[in-house]
Amino acid sequence: MIGLNAYRIVVEVDVDKKAVIHDVDIVGLGDTVVKESKKRVKSALKNSGFPFPRGRITINLAPSDIKKEGSYLDLPMAVGILKASEVIQRDISNYLFFGELGLDGSVRKIRGVLPALLRLSEESEKPAVILPASNEAEASIIQNIEAYTVRSLSELVAFLNGSAQKYPIVHKEPEFKHSIVEDFSDIRGQEFAKRAAEVAAAGAHNLLLKGSPGCGKTMLARRIPGILPKMSLEEAIETTKIYSVASLLDGKGLVAERPFRSPHHTASTTAIIGGGTDARPGEISLAHNGVLFLDELPEFRRDVLEALRQPLEDGQVTISRARLTVTYPARFMLVAAQNPCPCGWYGDKSHECTCSWNDIKRYNRKISGPIEDRIDIFVDMPRLEFSEYSDRRKGESSTTIRGRVEKARQKQYFRLKPLGKYFNSQLNHREIEELVVLDSTGVKLLESAVEKLKLTGRSVDRILKVSLTIADLEGSERILPRHIAEAIQYRKRDVNF
Ligand SMILES: Nc1ncnc2c1ncn2[C@@H]1O[C@H](COP(=O)(O)OP(=O)(O)OP(=O)(O)O)[C@@H](O)[C@H]1O
Ligand SMILES: [Mg+2]
């Protein structure tokens, strides 16, 4: 795998039986994990009761200009050696093998099976595929390929020599369940914030929740994936590919629910953006088609916030390392939360804030610039009054809210299709000018907001985009003054920070 792209590797095994020194050489740009295969393959063969050929064994991994990483080549190497020592007798040129080996000869799960098989399914002349049994669920998503699972090296040999039962992978129609465990109806009060979350979900707008400790910011954020539209098969496959490469599928077939990722604020840039020695996807790609929740936003490292800028703009991330550059999708809805100040109580009616004005300023300034510019909706969440908290009436369910969000998304889909976009939040200045038409009352309303709140041109664009989403939620073809009035409320009010 390079990023999400699969390449076919040919493993050639040559045994020089006359050589005096018995050794195994692996050539063809393998990383340290590939080099260690030598030991795994040797033990696996011996412990499965197969002979290990004497002499000098040279294993060549072609093409030699692609760097090979990981343990998935264990199985093909073992098969090559077994073929060279004639334990396997049949022609195996029409097979593809994937799998890591345990020292006992067991065949273990590898990462990246889904993207590899997807790529294979597009080829006209397809070889049959042999896979670890633990990768079965993800392989069963693919149609039109001939694939079999094996649990051990001896099972594989018996299979190839025609003396064992075969375990073909049967294609399964992926199951789409949208299990809402944490429901919107659990949230008491906070009507303004709930409505803002609905608008944000409808237009895929990024959202910042600000409020004192315990007011329900985390609670609300966790419930946002449940009000987003169900994933399409295409989206689910895109997201599953990323989880497959990150080896986070945990035996699941399809990631059919929108992901919710909430990395801790101490997480490294690599963990969040992606990278490391094998250029793995980071949290922003694991949140692809779902929600990235950054709790305690001002506590995140400055370089992490800076690095988020590009992916937030492009919906993808490019990771460059010495030898290769990979691109992963990273289109997510950003939901961020923060306290109003370091102690958490600034602006609260009943708690005194102990922070100095400078502390408050510094705290809030940390997010200005890179991230703030990309947030469309700002919400202040007050502390819950006891009467609200003790009110046992249930609010609207996530399913009801999702119904409205899906309708609004549909309107956007048809409007934005010609532009190659999906959500109102993706509109640029020129497109906003073209698509968002206000009547004279609307224009006046906006004008006075610009003056009173000292809004920048950028803020005005955001208000217009959000107004469009609010109109879409209502099913209105025109943007009415009340839609603009609501959108103005979602702008940041404490502009002086
Ligand atoms: N509006 C609410 N309705 C129902 N329960 C709530 C509400 N707000 C808070 N709670 C309860 O309080 C707990 C803490 O809320 P939550 O973790 O969402 O607060 P928070 O705003 O994220 O706080 P912090 O700033 O400390 O992270 C929740 O698990 C929930 O039980
Ligand atoms: Mg919290």
Side-chain angles (χ1 to χ4, degrees):
M1 305 295 308
I2 299 182
L4 294 183
N5 298 319
Y7 296 83
R8 194 182 298 202
I9 305 295
V10 175
V11 178
E12 295 176 319
V13 178
D14 178 66
V15 181
D16 178 3
K17 290 189 181 123
K18 295 205 190 81
V20 191
I21 300 163
H22 306 306
D23 199 7
V24 183
D25 268 329
I26 300 175
V27 296
L29 266 195
D31 72 346
T32 41
V33 181
V34 174
K35 295 261 150 62
E36 286 167 3
S37 287
K38 191 154 103 173
K39 296 201 171 109
R40 282 193 299 273
V41 169
K42 206 167 184 171
S43 299
L45 283 168
K46 285 190 169 159
N47 292 332
S48 306
F50 298 120
F52 194 81
R54 293 171 64 80
R56 181 166 208 114
I57 302 176
T58 308
I59 299 176
N60 182 36
L61 312 175
S64 59
D65 59 340
I66 293 182
K67 202 168 176 198
K68 289 104 195 153
E69 292 170 324
S71 53
Y72 63 99
L73 291 167
D74 287 4
L75 190 63
M77 287 185 206
V79 167
I81 293 172
L82 287 167
K83 178 80 180 136
S85 52
E86 292 175 13
V87 173
I88 295 173
Q89 275 144 18
R90 71 182 284 174
D91 175 24
I92 52 168
S93 57
N94 205 24
Y95 279 97
L96 265 180
F97 301 91
F98 296 85
E100 179 182 314
L101 286 173
L103 298 183
D104 58 353
S106 57
V107 176
R108 292 187 176 154
K109 188 162 83 178
I110 58 157
R111 66 190 187 99
V113 163
L114 181 68
L117 296 190
L118 271 173
R119 155 76 206 279
L120 190 67
S121 69
E122 290 160 5
E123 292 181 9
S124 51
E125 301 262 317
K126 292 184 269 286
V129 180
I130 307 286
L131 287 165
S134 37
N135 283 110
E136 178 166 6
E138 108 191 65
S140 71
I141 297 171
I142 317 283
Q143 302 186 54
N144 314 323
I145 52 164
E146 184 188 349
Y148 303 92
T149 60
V150 293
R151 266 148 283 257
S152 68
L153 203 50
S154 32
E155 193 184 308
L156 172 63
V157 170
F159 171 100
L160 291 172
N161 288 339
S163 61
Q165 197 189 339
K166 291 183 174 180
Y167 298 96
I169 292 177
V170 183
H171 168 70
K172 280 199 207 85
E173 273 314 312
E175 232 180 276
F176 272 92
K177 42 178 193 334
H178 205 76
S179 52
I180 297 167
V181 188
E182 297 177 304
D183 201 280
F184 255 68
S185 59
D186 305 334
I187 305 171
R188 313 246 170 269
Q190 302 296 12
E191 296 306 329
F192 182 72
K194 281 195 279 192
R195 166 70 183 172
E198 177 177 336
V199 175
H205 299 285
N206 296 328
L207 172 71
L208 176 71
L209 306 169
K210 198 189 259 193
S212 52
C215 71
K217 303 182 291 296
T218 303
M219 190 182 185
L220 178 64
R222 297 186 64 84
R223 283 160 179 76
I224 291 178
I227 62 167
L228 290 171
K230 285 184 191 168
M231 284 223 264
S232 65
L233 181 60
E234 202 181 322
E235 285 179 313
I237 286 179
E238 263 181 13
T239 303
T240 309
K241 274 160 87 172
I242 298 166
Y243 278 70
S244 172
V245 166
S247 42
L248 286 175
L249 271 181
D250 297 332
K252 261 199 301 240
L254 200 65
V255 179
E257 284 175 44
R258 296 199 180 268
F260 178 85
R261 302 295 299 186
S262 57
H264 193 253
H265 58 76
T266 53
S268 65
T269 316
T270 305
I272 293 184
I273 306 298
T277 47
D278 46 5
R280 297 265 177 126
E283 290 292 336
I284 58 170
S285 294
L286 296 172
H288 181 59
N289 289 322
V291 170
L292 179 73
F293 179 48
L294 301 182
D295 205 357
E296 324 288 350
L297 186 66
E299 306 291 341
F300 278 81
R301 291 162 34 163
R302 187 86 213 181
D303 56 321
V304 170
L305 297 180
E306 281 292 335
L308 278 170
R309 183 199 292 256
Q310 211 54 47
L312 274 170
E313 211 64 30
D314 302 342
Q316 60 178 34
V317 61
T318 300
I319 302 161
S320 295
R321 288 194 307 132
R323 299 198 66 103
L324 82 164
T325 298
V326 301
T327 300
Y328 291 114
R331 203 177 53 232
F332 52 86
M333 182 177 153
L334 175 69
V335 179
Q338 69 162 102
N339 292 334
C341 66
C343 86
W345 297 106
Y346 175 71
D348 192 86
K349 280 179 250 153
S350 52
H351 279 74
E352 194 157 350
C353 169
T354 56
C355 307
S356 73
W357 183 238
N358 269 335
D359 288 344
I360 300 174
K361 252 175 35 186
R362 205 174 309 118
Y363 184 76
N364 281 279
R365 262 204 202 132
K366 262 191 89 176
I367 62 147
S368 64
I371 298 293
E372 207 173 70
D373 272 354
R374 285 160 184 80
I375 291 176
D376 289 347
I377 300 186
F378 294 84
V379 179
D380 284 325
M381 289 174 75
R383 198 172 48 88
L384 221 53
E385 300 291 337
F386 182 73
S387 60
E388 290 174 303
Y389 195 74
S390 54
D391 186 353
R392 289 280 171 265
R393 275 174 303 176
K394 285 251 168 197
E396 267 189 315
S397 72
S398 293
T399 312
T400 309
I401 301 171
R402 192 179 65 215
R404 290 195 295 265
V405 168
E406 278 176 345
K407 281 208 186 104
R409 285 275 180 110
Q410 204 118 45
K411 286 189 85 88
Q412 294 166 63
Y413 179 80
F414 290 114
R415 173 189 309 126
L416 304 178
K417 209 174 170 192
L419 303 172
K421 297 186 175 179
Y422 304 93
F423 325 116
N424 291 338
S425 60
Q426 292 173 305
L427 295 176
N428 62 33
H429 179 69
R430 196 178 42 76
E431 291 158 348
I432 292 170
E433 282 195 326
E434 205 167 293
L435 291 170
V436 185
V437 183
L438 307 184
D439 60 17
S440 61
T441 324
V443 172
K444 273 197 205 114
L445 190 61
L446 192 57
E447 202 176 358
S448 78
V450 168
E451 269 173 29
K452 281 202 197 106
L453 301 170
K454 302 194 173 44
L455 298 176
T456 61
R458 222 190 228 132
S459 292
V460 172
D461 277 355
R462 284 174 199 280
I463 289 173
L464 293 172
K465 282 198 276 191
V466 173
S467 311
L468 187 60
T469 303
I470 295 168
D472 285 342
L473 266 173
E474 208 181 282
S476 163
E477 295 305 321
R478 290 185 310 130
I479 296 170
L480 304 173
R482 66 164 181 275
H483 303 144
I484 301 164
E486 183 180 345
I488 291 170
Q489 293 198 35
Y490 300 136
R491 287 316 299 167
K492 206 158 87 68
R493 262 156 291 170
D494 40 358
V495 214
N496 320 334
F497 291 130

